[in-house]
């Protein structure tokens, strides 16, 4: 029988040798202790990447999101005098905020919940609480323009592949895949393959756009904003090509200056057809309408030998000359080129696309509107994306074509994801629509307008449970609390992830003690929390000390910064919201009930929160909202590693915990606007978590395809979906990692109807049911999580089974009982 440690070794050896990795079952893996499973064929690792990370280059998976490959090495403890001498009193990352950062423009009728251009109250201008040091993994200066891209640097954005390693892996601006090479760009329209255990997309490109004269010799990221990234190609002369990449754009647009354009395809070109220019005109005569049409971009429909069809537009018109699979124009050109795939209904789609050709975004901003409504009527916030376009930098397209008297208004055309469609205004959705466009998250829906607004419902959550605890349950809970307070408050882990889980475990006991009125036990637990946090945040006397990374701008572990295989890759910014979210939970609970005792921990705790969820663009020490993606509505866990499939996130439960903890923390400190912002982000994360990781089976088929019928997902990537975890394929792992840790916020992620369907008592009809998984887990911590979820359907059955399980290292029987007592369903109904 494999122990967890031997299982890690076996899995990693199989990964290196390229043979199929054995998948440990639940009996071999302690709940919450993750193993790294890799099944693709292995090859030699890229330079600087451990063997365990080296997978087939066409399908590189994420470095271990939660893999503890080896125990941390002993580090000499730093005494207080040395620590004070080394403490950086002033940030050395520069005093000016990056120039590209801009708050969303003022929108009529919409007031932002906070001004993200101002310093956050979390940043009081105090010295860094952590010793500062340079990161050995230095940013590749050839990949970005340091005059516009300044510290602190992004580490977890959807476009991150552009500035890590050699910058050669693709980005995924839905519905396309784009490679930004040194002297050209390649564009593909991914084809998705749906199988019972995964949804994948191909990595091929159909077109390459570059300069025939060879004048383009370098490419750099030259700007970023809340929604996208700008890439510029240049050389020794004046030739330049530039594109702004945003998710959801039907046109991929490239501005050319002094470039001799060449457009190549790896397929054979079957036909090139000029598209008749159609314009919506207020003019009366045929001559006038013709003149209006002449001001539009020139368009061609190109059919390839794989039966795909593309719209290629240019303004001024490029006189393309075809030579087999290559289109060129003689001489230098200044203007723009747009490419759009014509989907599965080319004729209908081209009729829509040509109405919007020529308009493209040059900047994107996001506004999180002030909370509206009440608990009785329903609370919500409007999430507003505003795109400035090439035709109107104020964000309101007035007139695309510069004719003298036509009053035509042509707006930006874009796509939105399923979770947007659920709450977006129907007036925004195109009635004619566009067909045949999708992402890994399902069908894309076309919308018209430079401003896109959808309504995000806000579910209230607080420190305590959803329901009051009955008297008999309270007495039972008090008795278990005394047992756990005596036996479950020691934390022996040395790394920030498992140590954070342990501290949060004690903090849950502290919160529950306050709820049941046991002040004596609460006081003892509060002291314990201070004693657990002090070595990590005040005296810095723990073995794996946290330090401030002055190279990228963030807080990382000593082991992690020196070795990317340690601490789950957190030294390269993997999973910071998972790790530090646990610390922040403990800080929030302590601050709520004993602010004076909490005082010495306040500044380092503020900085931990700013590391993963900094709400201010003006902060020069930490990037804005490191993990969170406002377009997808959820976080990306993967950090400074490059993957063909883009970014990924596995544990939605821990992402929820991160923003729940941030919300509680800001609330405890009285930062109302900041708390309101975190509440919105928390609800967005929960909404996308339910939509894409926890769909009902019918929703799953609609999102991912008929062959993928699971009602939970293990890992969501930019371009694929996996029914597996990074530490194993057992069903209890897939369910459990999406729910832990169980706190009052967990109910935002799981719903009674979903639990009832997932439980699936008939093993013969759904082998992937939660009941089957709980039985397979055989009373370990994973089983306890599944039975805890089942309490939303049947309290009594859930309680008996859950209390018979051995808790995970971040959980206790007290917390399990509290969850069931405060989320109970009185009668069995499944």
């Amino acid at each position: 029988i494999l122990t967890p440690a031997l299982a890690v070794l076996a899995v990693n050896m199989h990964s290196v040798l390229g043979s199929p990795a054995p998948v440990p079952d639940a009996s071999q893996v302690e709940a919450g202790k993750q193993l790294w499973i890799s099944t693709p064929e292995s090859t030699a690792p890229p330079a600087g990447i451990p063997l365990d990370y080296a997978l087939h280059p066409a399908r590189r998976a994420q470095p271990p999101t939660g893999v503890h490959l080896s125990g941390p090495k002993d580090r000499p403890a730093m005494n207080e005098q040395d620590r004070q001498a080394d403490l950086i009193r002033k940030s050395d990352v520069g005093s000016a905020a990056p120039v590209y950062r801009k708050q969303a423009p003022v929108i009529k009728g919409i007031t932002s919940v906070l001004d993200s251009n101002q310093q956050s109250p979390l940043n009081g201008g105090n010295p860094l609480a952590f010793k500062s040091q340079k990161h050995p993994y230095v940013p590749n200066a050839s990949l970005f323009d340091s005059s516009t891209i300044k510290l602190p640097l992004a580490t977890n954005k959807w476009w991150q592949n552009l500035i890590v390693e050699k910058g050669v892996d693709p980005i995924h601006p839905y519905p396309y895949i784009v490679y930004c090479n040194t002297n050209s760009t390649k564009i593909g329209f991914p084809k998705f393959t749906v199988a019972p255990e995964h949804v994948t997309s191909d990595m091929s490109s159909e077109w390459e756009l570059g300069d025939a004269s060879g004048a383009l010799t370098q490419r750099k990221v030259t700007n970023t904003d809340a929604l996208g990234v700008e890439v510029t190609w240049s050389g020794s002369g004046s030739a330049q090509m530039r594109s702004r990449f945003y998710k959801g754009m039907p046109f991929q647009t490239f501005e050319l200056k002094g470039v001799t354009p060449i457009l190549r395809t790896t397929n054979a070109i079957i036909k090139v057809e000029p598209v008749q220019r159609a314009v919506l005109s207020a003019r009366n005569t045929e001559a006038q309408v013709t003149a209006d049409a002449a001001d539009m971009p020139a368009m061609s429909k190109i059919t390839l030998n794989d039966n795909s069809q593309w719209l290629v537009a240019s303004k001024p018109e490029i006189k393309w000359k075809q030579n087999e699979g290559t289109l060129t124009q003689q001489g230098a050109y200044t203007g723009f080129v747009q490419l759009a795939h014509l989907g599965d209904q080319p004729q209908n789609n081209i009729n829509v696309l040509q109405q919007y050709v020529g308009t493209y975004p040059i900047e994107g901003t996001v506004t999180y509107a002030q909370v509206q409504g009440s608990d009785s009527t329903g609370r919500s916030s409007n999430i507003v994306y505003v795109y400035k376009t090439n035709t109107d930098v104020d964000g309101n397209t007035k007139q695309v074509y510069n004719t003298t008297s036509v009053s035509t208004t042509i707006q930006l055309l874009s796509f939105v994801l399923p979770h947007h469609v659920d709450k977006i205004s129907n007036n925004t959705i195109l009635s004619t629509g566009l067909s045949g466009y999708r992402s890994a998250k399902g069908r894309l829906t076309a919308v018209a307008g430079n401003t896109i607004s959808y309504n995000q419902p806000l579910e209230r959550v607080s420190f305590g449970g959803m329901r009051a605890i009955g008297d008999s349950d309270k007495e039972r809970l008090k008795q278990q609390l005394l047992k756990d307070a005596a036996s479950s408050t020691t934390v022996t882990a040395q790394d920030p992830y498992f140590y954070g889980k342990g501290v949060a475990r004690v903090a849950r006991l502290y919160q529950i003690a306050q709820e049941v009125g046991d002040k004596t036990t609460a006081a003892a637990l509060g002291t314990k929390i201070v004693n657990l946090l002090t070595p990590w945040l005040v005296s810095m006397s723990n073995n794996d000390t946290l330090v401030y990374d002055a190279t990228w701008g963030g807080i990382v572990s000593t082991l992690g910064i020196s070795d990317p295989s340690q601490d789950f890759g957190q030294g390269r910014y993997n999973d910071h919201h998972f790790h530090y979210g646990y610390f922040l939970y403990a800080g929030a609970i302590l601050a709520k009930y004993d602010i004076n005792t909490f005082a010495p921990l306040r500044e380092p705790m503020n900085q931990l929160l700013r590391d993963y969820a900094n709400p201010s663009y003006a902060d020069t020490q930490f990037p804005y909202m490191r993990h969170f993606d406002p377009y997808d509505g959820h976080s990306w866990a993967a950090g400074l590693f490059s993957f063909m499939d883009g970014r990924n996130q596995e544990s939605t439960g821990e992402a929820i915990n991160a923003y729940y903890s941030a919300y509680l923390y800001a609330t405890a400190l009285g930062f109302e606007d900041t708390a309101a912002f975190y509440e919105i982000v928390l609800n967005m994360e929960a909404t996308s978590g339910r939509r894409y990781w926890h769909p009902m089976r019918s929703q799953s088929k609609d999102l991912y395809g008929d062959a993928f019928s699971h009602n939970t997902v293990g890992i969501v990537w930019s371009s694929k979906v996996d029914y597996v975890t990074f530490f194993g394929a057992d069903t209890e792992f897939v369910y459990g990692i999406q729910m832990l840790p169980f706190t009052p916020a967990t109910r935002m992620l799981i719903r009674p109807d979903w639990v009832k369907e997932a439980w699936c008592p008939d093993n013969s009809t759904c082998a992937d049911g939660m009941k089957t998984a709980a039985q397979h887990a055989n009373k370990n911590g994973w089983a306890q999580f599944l039975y805890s979820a089942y309490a939303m359907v049947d309290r009594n059955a859930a309680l008996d089974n859950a209390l018979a399980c051995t808790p995970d290292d971040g959980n206790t029987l007290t917390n399990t009982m509290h969850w069931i007592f405060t989320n109970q369903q009185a009668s069995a109904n499944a």
Side-chain angles (χ1 to χ4, degrees):
I1 297 177
L2 291 176
T3 66
L6 291 176
V8 172
L9 177 62
V11 169
N12 284 326
M13 288 303 296
H14 279 271
S15 176
V16 171
L17 298 175
S19 54
V23 178
D25 64 28
S27 65
Q28 300 165 3
V29 186
E30 183 179 347
K33 295 197 174 178
Q34 304 185 3
L35 300 183
W36 171 228
I37 303 297
S38 60
T39 55
E41 178 185 355
S42 293
T43 59
I49 302 296
L51 282 175
D52 302 298
Y53 290 8
L55 306 178
H56 194 282
R59 257 342 202 201
R60 287 210 300 276
Q62 181 185 359
T65 298
V67 185
H68 199 58
L69 296 178
S70 60
K73 300 175 183 178
D74 290 335
R75 297 279 169 157
M78 180 180 290
N79 64 39
E80 180 63 17
Q81 182 177 356
D82 291 339
R83 191 189 74 80
Q84 290 295 337
D86 288 342
L87 191 64
I88 303 300
R89 296 299 181 186
K90 191 171 184 180
S91 170
D92 58 356
V93 298
S95 59
V99 297
Y100 59 84
R101 294 174 166 172
K102 297 177 182 177
Q103 167 73 357
V106 176
I107 305 169
K108 186 176 182 179
I110 298 291
T111 303
S112 178
V113 71
L114 57 75
D115 184 353
S116 59
N117 269 346
Q118 301 300 313
Q119 286 288 358
S120 162
L122 296 168
N123 181 8
N126 296 313
L128 286 167
F130 304 90
K131 180 181 177 181
S132 179
Q133 72 178 71
K134 298 293 185 180
H135 204 300
Y137 182 68
V138 179
N140 187 339
S142 68
L143 298 179
F144 63 93
D145 184 348
S146 60
S147 69
T148 55
I149 310 298
K150 296 181 181 295
L151 292 174
L153 298 173
T155 57
N156 299 72
K157 299 305 179 185
W158 68 266
W159 46 263
Q160 201 70 43
N161 280 355
L162 292 172
I163 63 169
V164 294
E165 298 177 16
K166 295 182 179 180
V168 298
D169 283 340
I171 57 174
H172 300 271
Y174 320 140
Y176 298 101
I177 179 173
V178 175
Y179 296 81
C180 294
N181 301 327
T182 302
N183 57 0
S184 67
T185 183
K186 292 183 178 180
I187 304 104
F189 188 75
K191 302 174 183 65
F192 287 84
T193 301
V194 183
E197 307 306 317
H198 53 76
V199 179
T200 59
S201 61
D202 70 303
M203 297 285 129
S204 61
S205 59
E206 278 84 359
W207 293 102
E208 180 180 14
L209 176 65
D211 178 66
S213 70
L216 301 178
T217 58
Q218 64 178 353
R219 73 96 178 136
K220 291 186 176 184
V221 171
T222 50
N223 218 328
T224 68
D225 58 43
L227 291 169
V229 61
E230 177 186 275
V231 178
T232 302
W233 291 258
S234 60
S236 57
S238 60
Q240 185 181 90
M241 180 168 73
R242 180 173 61 181
S243 184
R244 290 93 168 182
F245 296 106
Y246 294 93
K247 287 181 282 192
M249 295 300 150
F251 293 100
Q252 291 299 297
T253 304
F254 301 88
E255 297 172 335
L256 309 179
K257 179 183 178 182
V259 169
T260 304
I262 180 169
L263 191 58
R264 303 184 184 95
T265 178
T266 54
N267 299 302
I269 296 176
I270 302 301
K271 188 186 301 184
V272 178
E273 304 171 84
V275 177
Q276 183 179 359
R277 298 169 179 176
V279 65
L280 301 175
S281 178
R283 314 284 283 278
N284 296 319
T285 70
E286 181 178 348
Q288 289 171 326
V289 173
T290 301
D292 293 344
D295 195 53
M296 290 180 64
M299 293 173 284
S300 298
K301 183 174 72 172
I302 301 178
T303 303
L304 304 180
N305 66 340
D306 63 355
N307 293 320
S308 66
Q309 294 186 338
W310 290 74
L311 178 66
V312 178
S314 60
K315 184 183 178 182
E317 181 177 3
I318 294 178
K319 303 290 187 180
W320 295 111
K321 181 179 179 180
Q322 182 186 351
N323 181 12
E324 296 183 342
T326 301
L327 301 172
T328 58
Q329 173 182 286
Q330 297 301 313
Y333 170 84
T334 296
F336 65 80
V337 175
Q338 292 185 302
L339 293 88
H341 194 280
L342 294 180
D344 60 5
Q345 295 184 23
Q347 191 54 52
N348 290 338
N349 289 339
I350 201 171
N351 290 337
V352 175
L353 288 169
Q354 67 176 318
Q355 297 178 49
Y356 299 90
V357 69
T359 303
Y360 54 91
I362 61 173
E363 184 178 298
T365 57
V366 182
T367 295
Y368 305 83
Q370 284 187 345
V371 176
Q372 58 191 9
S374 64
D375 289 328
S376 59
T377 62
R379 300 166 65 250
S380 66
S381 169
N382 288 321
I383 311 302
V384 186
Y385 311 138
V386 177
Y387 296 98
K388 294 182 180 180
T389 71
N390 58 307
T391 59
D392 190 327
V393 295
D394 293 326
N396 298 303
T397 301
K398 297 173 183 176
Q399 186 171 311
V400 173
Y401 310 121
N402 299 319
T403 50
T404 56
S405 57
V406 66
S407 59
T408 302
T409 297
I410 298 183
Q411 298 172 305
L412 181 69
L413 180 67
S414 62
F415 291 114
V416 292
L417 292 168
H419 77 279
H420 298 128
V421 176
D422 292 342
K423 298 297 180 182
I424 204 168
S425 168
N426 289 331
N427 295 334
T428 308
I429 298 175
L430 287 185
S431 58
T432 52
L434 288 169
S435 176
Y437 300 87
R438 69 160 297 169
S439 74
K441 292 185 171 74
R443 186 183 305 112
L444 296 172
T445 300
V447 297
N450 296 16
T451 298
I452 300 171
S453 176
Y454 75 97
N455 188 259
Q456 173 63 57
L458 300 180
E459 182 174 345
R460 184 83 71 177
V461 66
S462 188
F463 291 84
M466 182 173 65
R467 294 185 176 91
I469 305 172
D471 290 341
S472 61
D473 288 338
K474 183 178 292 186
E475 287 305 311
R476 187 176 181 184
L477 190 58
K478 283 183 176 181
Q479 294 303 312
Q480 185 61 50
L481 173 64
L482 292 175
K483 296 177 183 177
D484 285 333
S487 63
S488 299
T489 59
T490 300
V491 183
T492 59
Q494 300 293 303
D495 66 284
Y497 175 68
F498 285 111
Y499 195 89
K501 286 184 69 175
V503 176
R505 178 187 72 225
V506 179
R508 284 295 298 143
L509 295 175
Y510 182 40
Q511 167 64 31
I512 294 167
Q514 296 285 355
E515 286 186 55
V516 299
D518 187 341
K519 300 301 181 182
T520 301
T521 301
L525 289 168
T527 300
K528 185 67 177 181
I529 293 171
V530 173
N531 292 338
L532 289 170
L533 289 175
T534 296
W536 283 76
L537 302 182
V538 180
S539 66
M540 310 300 175
S541 58
N542 63 301
N543 290 334
D544 194 8
T545 311
L546 297 178
V547 297
Y548 178 78
D549 164 22
T551 302
W552 293 86
I555 298 169
V556 295
S557 67
T558 303
L559 288 176
I561 198 173
S562 60
D563 184 350
S565 70
Q566 290 291 329
D567 295 346
F568 317 150
Q570 83 105 266
R572 295 275 189 94
Y573 293 94
N574 277 3
D575 304 349
H576 277 208
H577 57 327
F578 299 165
H579 295 198
Y580 299 151
Y582 285 116
F583 283 83
L584 260 296
Y585 180 79
I589 302 302
L590 190 61
K592 174 177 173 60
Y593 295 108
D594 194 346
I595 192 66
N596 292 328
T597 301
F598 173 71
L601 299 163
R602 179 168 178 158
E603 187 55 35
M605 199 68 76
N606 284 354
Q607 292 174 23
L608 279 188
L609 179 52
R610 286 163 58 204
D611 174 89
Y612 77 82
N614 171 29
S616 170
Y617 281 121
D619 197 320
T620 60
Q621 294 171 325
F622 302 95
Y624 179 79
M625 297 301 290
R626 186 183 301 280
H627 297 273
F628 191 69
D629 186 326
Y631 180 86
D632 288 76
H634 65 77
S635 299
W636 296 113
L640 297 176
F641 299 91
S642 191
F643 317 113
M644 290 290 289
D645 292 301
R647 302 296 97 189
N648 65 69
Q649 179 160 273
E650 177 186 58
S651 179
T652 53
E654 289 176 312
I656 293 294
N657 183 64
Y659 300 115
Y660 172 55
S661 300
Y663 167 68
L664 295 183
Y665 186 80
T667 299
L669 295 186
F671 301 150
E672 294 182 3
D673 291 346
T674 305
F677 171 73
Y678 287 141
E679 183 187 26
I680 294 168
V681 172
L682 167 62
N683 276 271
M684 291 173 70
E685 187 85 38
T687 295
S688 287
R690 293 192 304 270
R691 196 68 167 92
Y692 304 120
W693 280 264
H694 287 182
M696 301 293 286
R697 291 185 190 275
S698 59
Q699 292 178 322
S700 183
K701 291 183 178 181
D702 184 59
L703 284 174
Y704 303 124
D706 289 343
F708 191 93
S709 60
H710 305 290
N711 61 1
T712 194
V713 168
I715 310 165
V716 172
W717 299 72
S718 299
S719 62
K720 72 172 182 177
V721 169
D722 287 323
Y723 182 74
V724 69
T725 72
F726 286 121
F727 53 93
D730 287 355
T731 303
E732 57 266 34
F733 299 166
V734 181
Y735 278 116
I737 198 62
Q738 302 309 337
M739 296 187 288
L740 66 85
F742 272 74
T743 71
T746 307
R747 63 181 172 82
M748 302 175 71
L749 192 58
I750 61 176
R751 303 297 202 205
D753 57 345
W754 178 83
V755 173
K756 186 174 182 178
E757 182 187 74
W759 193 255
C760 194
D762 185 354
N763 295 4
S764 64
T765 60
C766 56
D768 64 345
M770 200 183 289
K771 179 181 179 180
T772 305
Q775 293 169 340
H776 181 258
N778 193 25
K779 298 183 179 181
N780 68 6
W782 296 106
Q784 189 171 68
F785 291 139
L786 306 191
Y787 287 124
S788 294
Y790 189 56
M792 302 189 85
V793 175
D794 187 337
R795 167 207 156 109
N796 294 334
L799 183 63
D800 292 343
N801 283 286
L803 296 185
C805 298
T806 301
D808 165 69
D809 55 3
N811 198 21
T812 61
L813 290 180
T814 298
N815 186 54
T816 299
M817 293 172 68
H818 179 273
W819 162 265
I820 293 174
F821 292 160
T822 58
N823 290 275
Q824 56 188 312
Q825 179 71 31
S827 60
N829 54 10

